[in-house]
Amino acid sequence: MKVTLAAACGFCYGVRRAVELAEQAEKGTHTLGPIIHNPQVVGRLAEQGVSPVDSLDEVEKGAVVLIRSHGVGPDIYEKADKQELKVIDATCPHVKKAQQDAKNIIEKGEKLIIVGEKAHPEVISISQWGANRAIIIDREEEAQQIPFCDSMGVVVQTTFSQEQFKRIAAILQQKTNHLDVHMTICTATQQRQQAAIELAGQVDAMIVIGGKNSANTGRLAQVCREQDCPTYHIETAAELDTDWFSGMNHIGITAGASTPDWIIQEVVKIMENLQAEGTEVMSEELLDKYDYEENPKKGDVVKGTVISVNDDAAYVSIGTKAEAILPKKEMAVPAPEKASDFVKVGDELTVEIAN
Ligand code: SF4
């Protein structure tokens, strides 16, 4: 099986930086919101003692708080200061620039327009730096409704479509005597989409890896399908079904900007070990690693890898189609207080199938 990875895929600069800062953070650090839209990464960090909170009200005085790549408004920095929190600022530098541009536009007395999704945390943070005085739009019809003004400053959500922005900017040009456009679109998203489109045109099927709640991963799957390429959106290798690729010779793989390298590599390895013509044969190495059987039976002893863990149980990948639940009471005698005290994501275990 030939497997080709998209020329641009996986973590973008801002997300990689944020995740690395979180990994280096001391135990007990809180991220303000999940660090990225990827449950496996959030789960792995939680095991290291870095867990998300929804608000600073949940954080004890003097604790460490990490601000994720989407950024936050100035009120959060002030509140953190009052609570004597130590702040690790992982706001992506591209987002920081958009925030500062919004602030400068308001200070110059211009009308501030933000082009982006109103409910997106990044757009909310940019708006807050613009003293919450921005008009936020993401459609041409909304641009048409903006009243004429003398001077207008425009900031764009970093992941917004270039094409859509050009159409909106042409309308805004008619709404002011002086248009000051701050081109804050980041190219990471566009590069990933372009690379996915090119690869989808060359392969028999595409695998798109990333959180099911990640908008940019969903968009990657959509652009692949638009090329009439059979496309499978999965979060981890455990979801792969080798039947999907029966009779195929060349598979393309891409991943959203919030998908870590280790999940991508796991999928690539499994796919490279599928034989052409759809026979579901894996390499000796992988058979060894996973002790792979399609349907492990009661009493079988198999090797597996922990793919997620919570207080009560660990979820163990025991092959490409199977996932076992290992309750904490089966881990040790006496049972640990929390399953996550006993195992962590990535641990390799030998388990006996109970039923
Ligand atoms: S997509 Fe661009 S702006 Fe957004 S976090 Fe990644 S590098 Fe930063």
Side-chain angles (χ1 to χ4, degrees):
M1 174 76 75
K2 185 177 174 194
V3 176
T4 305
L5 201 55
C9 70
F11 276 178
C12 63
Y13 162 75
V15 166
R16 188 177 297 281
R17 176 173 170 270
V19 171
E20 283 174 2
L21 284 169
E23 284 169 349
Q24 291 156 12
E26 63 188 63
K27 201 170 176 184
T29 297
H30 295 292
T31 62
L32 199 47
I35 186 101
I36 53 172
H37 284 141
N38 185 284
Q40 289 74 30
V41 172
V42 173
R44 194 180 251 207
L45 283 169
E47 284 155 31
Q48 292 171 20
V50 177
S51 55
V53 289
D54 292 330
S55 138
L56 291 187
D57 295 334
E58 297 169 48
V59 179
E60 61 282 15
K61 189 176 172 186
V64 184
V65 168
L66 188 145
I67 292 169
R68 57 191 180 168
S69 57
H70 295 320
V72 293
D75 57 318
I76 295 290
Y77 292 94
E78 283 161 25
K79 195 167 164 44
D81 200 35
K82 277 193 195 131
Q83 285 180 232
E84 297 173 29
L85 304 177
K86 184 179 165 213
V87 173
I88 301 173
D89 194 349
T91 307
C92 175
H94 295 296
V95 177
K96 266 266 190 260
K97 180 177 183 307
Q99 293 173 339
Q100 285 308 310
D101 287 348
K103 184 170 181 278
N104 294 341
I105 289 167
I106 290 294
E107 285 173 357
K108 279 200 283 182
E110 293 177 335
K111 182 91 202 141
L112 171 61
I113 308 293
I114 300 174
V115 180
E117 300 156 61
K118 295 175 186 69
H120 194 284
E122 177 196 311
V123 172
I124 293 169
S125 84
I126 297 170
S127 173
Q128 288 168 340
W129 280 96
N132 292 314
R133 281 162 51 192
I135 297 177
I136 306 173
I137 58 170
D138 63 0
R139 291 179 293 123
E140 288 145 89
E141 305 84 73
E142 291 173 310
Q144 295 285 11
Q145 286 162 17
I146 292 177
F148 192 88
C149 65
D150 184 51
S151 188
M152 182 185 281
V154 182
V155 176
V156 198
Q157 182 178 357
T158 56
T159 49
F160 203 76
S161 147
Q162 296 255 16
E163 295 310 310
Q164 174 70 350
F165 176 68
K166 276 187 206 157
R167 289 193 288 271
I168 289 175
I171 297 168
L172 295 178
Q173 188 76 61
Q174 313 302 315
K175 299 284 182 176
T176 182
N177 291 321
H178 176 72
L179 186 70
D180 183 14
V181 172
H182 296 252
M183 183 41 93
T184 44
I185 293 178
C186 154
T187 50
T189 307
Q190 219 175 9
Q191 284 169 352
R192 278 154 186 69
Q193 286 178 13
Q194 197 49 45
I197 289 168
E198 281 166 22
L199 188 54
Q202 300 164 17
V203 296
D204 299 320
M206 283 293 291
I207 300 172
V208 180
I209 316 164
K212 295 273 162 64
N213 59 351
S214 156
N216 83 77
T217 309
R219 177 83 184 119
L220 281 179
Q222 185 190 338
V223 298
C224 292
R225 289 190 186 108
E226 283 168 4
Q227 308 313 305
D228 288 329
C229 182
T231 300
Y232 301 97
H233 179 174
I234 59 170
E235 278 192 359
T236 69
E239 288 172 51
L240 278 175
D241 181 340
T242 49
D243 285 346
W244 295 338
F245 312 106
S246 180
M248 295 183 182
N249 296 309
H250 190 184
I251 302 299
I253 296 179
T254 187
S258 49
T259 308
D261 299 344
W262 54 274
I263 291 183
I264 301 172
Q265 286 312 320
E266 200 179 16
V267 174
V268 169
K269 268 191 207 155
I270 289 172
M271 292 309 299
E272 281 178 345
N273 283 280
L274 285 181
Q275 280 192 343
E277 308 308 327
T279 45
E280 297 169 6
V281 178
M282 300 175 76
S283 72
E284 284 304 313
E285 189 192 343
L286 275 164
L287 279 168
D288 226 25
K289 182 173 177 202
Y290 292 109
D291 202 8
Y292 179 76
E293 279 190 82
E294 238 178 69
N295 296 302
K297 300 177 295 300
K298 185 175 176 178
D300 283 353
V301 175
V302 296
K303 288 178 185 167
T305 306
V306 177
I307 54 169
S308 73
V309 60
N310 56 31
D311 287 355
D312 300 320
Y315 296 83
V316 183
S317 169
I318 52 173
T320 57
K321 288 188 169 181
E323 194 176 290
I325 300 172
L326 178 61
K328 66 179 179 185
K329 69 180 169 58
E330 302 293 343
M331 290 178 180
V333 181
E337 197 175 318
K338 292 179 183 174
S340 50
D341 292 339
F342 200 77
V343 292
K344 62 180 189 314
V345 171
D347 281 355
E348 298 210 343
L349 306 175
T350 300
V351 292
E352 182 178 342
I353 304 300
N355 50 46

